[in-house]
Amino acid sequence: LNAAVRGAYGGRKEIRWTEALAGKAAWSRVGSPLPVETLDAIIREVHRLGGLIIAAHVDRPSLSVIANLGMVPPDAEFDALEISASLRKDEAVARFPFIDRFPLVTASDAHFPRDIGGSPTLFLLEKMDIDEIRMAFQGRGEREYLIQ
């Protein structure tokens, strides 16, 4: 993978690998596949690099932050949470009241090409970039987002 990135970008970009306590190792050491400390470290690093953190399909019974931790940590600095396309925002908040403090988005979570774009989050932005999306999530500068 490192060689492919070097080749694709002519050496201008690289992957910096960092070890994180997660998965089976975390489960055997601390009893959780995703310790809060690991989650916090990931969030800090993504934000340091200028990215957004959107926790995926938080309403699902497996492979979600709620399934792994039993909650969304109160001090987790997610930029948004993604809920399943089959669930309306009011239904999601009724099931998980603690998610109401976050912007909620939907996505197609497509496993087949025909499903791509089946549940979009719509954005009103001046230009398409991460900072504009962040502003929409924060309700700043007349930027907006809308889920169906």
Side-chain angles (χ1 to χ4, degrees):
L1 185 57
N2 288 341
V5 169
R6 272 193 305 277
Y9 291 96
R12 293 182 315 275
K13 294 189 183 259
E14 67 178 320
I15 296 174
R16 286 185 290 144
W17 298 95
T18 302
E19 188 171 339
L21 181 61
K24 290 180 183 178
W27 188 259
S28 66
R29 282 186 32 208
V30 298
S32 170
L34 182 64
V36 172
E37 296 79 13
T38 299
L39 178 62
D40 288 343
I42 292 167
I43 291 171
R44 277 193 311 275
E45 182 64 8
V46 170
H47 284 160
R48 186 186 72 75
L49 294 169
L52 295 171
I53 292 284
I54 302 172
H57 47 72
V58 297
D59 55 299
R60 299 232 177 118
S62 64
L63 302 176
S64 73
V65 71
I66 295 173
N68 283 302
L69 299 177
M71 54 143 174
V72 175
D75 56 346
E77 295 184 20
F78 291 114
D79 296 290
L81 305 178
E82 185 253 345
I83 58 174
S84 300
S86 61
L87 197 61
R88 291 190 333 259
K89 180 180 177 179
D90 60 329
E91 294 171 327
V93 171
R95 278 180 55 195
F96 307 103
F98 50 86
I99 69 173
D100 194 33
R101 66 187 177 94
F102 295 96
L104 299 177
V105 300
T106 58
S108 60
D109 194 20
H111 294 258
F112 303 98
R114 70 179 178 271
D115 295 332
I116 294 173
S119 180
T121 296
L122 306 175
F123 289 90
L124 177 60
L125 310 170
E126 284 190 10
K127 60 183 177 178
M128 188 58 169
D129 71 19
I130 296 292
D131 289 331
E132 290 278 320
I133 294 170
R134 182 178 291 111
M135 289 174 69
F137 286 153
Q138 295 170 351
R140 294 187 298 124
E142 298 182 3
R143 285 22 169 230
E144 299 177 35
Y145 72 97
L146 173 70
I147 63 172
Q148 300 179 354

